[in-house]
Amino acid sequence: MSSNDDAEESAAREKLHRIFSFFDKNGNGFLEATEIGDVLRAFGSDPTDVEVGEIVAAADANHDGKLSFDEFLELITRELQNGAGTEPREIFESFRIFDKERNGLISSEDFVNIMTNMGQKIPQAEVDKMLAMCEVDEDGMIDYESFIQQVVNAPMNSTLLDL
């Protein structure tokens, strides 16, 4: 393995660790079944609670009912190898987690709160860059499908895809 491959693997691992931290809402270093369900939905899956329980049971190597980062890494690696998580439509589905009204909009306030306060906190300067890409309507709402298209089409795919 070349040093470039090592660097890419390390960067990918760091990105997954940031995702893990983002969904670790209570900050205990583990993901509970409900948090795993949120992660899987963010990666484009739509599992039922029963399916989430089965997935957690299969990935939970030490059978403690929650996933450590290493267990999570195995699970996500397997999910990504099955093709989930990288298409714009799948990114769109991940935003739907935070779309309370299911209308394609998320408030700019919720967007900032989510990005700066959940899991690993994204620095305000990075969130400001993301918001600058957004078209915020007169009600303070962001059309996240439009935002995702901008991110996907932007050179170097911007910060959102680096979560």
Side-chain angles (χ1 to χ4, degrees), residues 88-104:
R89 189 77 197 151
E90 293 165 341
I91 298 168
F92 172 82
E93 291 299 325
S94 71
F95 264 92
R96 288 191 69 209
I97 293 170
F98 305 109
D99 180 1
K100 297 171 192 140
E101 302 294 324
R102 292 289 191 246
N103 61 2

Side-chain angles (χ1 to χ4, degrees), residues 64-139:
D64 63 357
K66 54 192 175 193
L67 299 186
S68 67
F69 175 68
D70 289 334
E71 292 167 328
F72 167 79
L73 189 59
E74 285 291 320
L75 171 65
I76 294 303
T77 300
R78 186 171 54 247
E79 289 293 314
L80 289 176
Q81 288 172 344
N82 290 333
T86 58
E87 295 298 316
R89 189 77 197 151
E90 293 165 341
I91 298 168
F92 172 82
E93 291 299 325
S94 71
F95 264 92
R96 288 191 69 209
I97 293 170
F98 305 109
D99 180 1
K100 297 171 192 140
E101 302 294 324
R102 292 289 191 246
N103 61 2
L105 302 172
I106 183 171
S107 75
S108 56
E109 183 178 296
D110 282 347
F111 182 86
V112 170
N113 188 41
I114 290 162
M115 295 299 179
T116 58
N117 293 311
M118 290 185 66
Q120 180 168 340
K121 295 156 184 66
I122 296 174
Q124 185 64 47
E126 293 297 316
V127 174
D128 290 344
K129 287 180 192 177
M130 290 180 200
L131 275 173
M133 293 180 66
C134 298
E135 294 178 26
V136 181
D137 71 13
E138 64 276 355
D139 296 323

Side-chain angles (χ1 to χ4, degrees), residues 134-152:
C134 298
E135 294 178 26
V136 181
D137 71 13
E138 64 276 355
D139 296 323
M141 302 300 284
I142 297 168
D143 176 341
Y144 55 85
E145 186 169 18
S146 173
F147 173 65
I148 291 165
Q149 287 305 315
Q150 288 179 23
V151 171
V152 169

Side-chain angles (χ1 to χ4, degrees), residues 45-56:
S45 297
D46 192 20
T48 65
D49 290 343
V50 170
E51 290 169 326
V52 170
E54 291 169 354
I55 290 167
V56 169

Side-chain angles (χ1 to χ4, degrees), residues 15-34:
K15 286 178 186 180
L16 287 172
H17 194 270
R18 290 187 353 228
I19 291 168
F20 179 88
S21 296
F22 179 82
F23 284 97
D24 180 13
K25 293 177 180 84
N26 63 6
N28 68 355
F30 295 94
L31 294 181
E32 312 295 328
T34 57

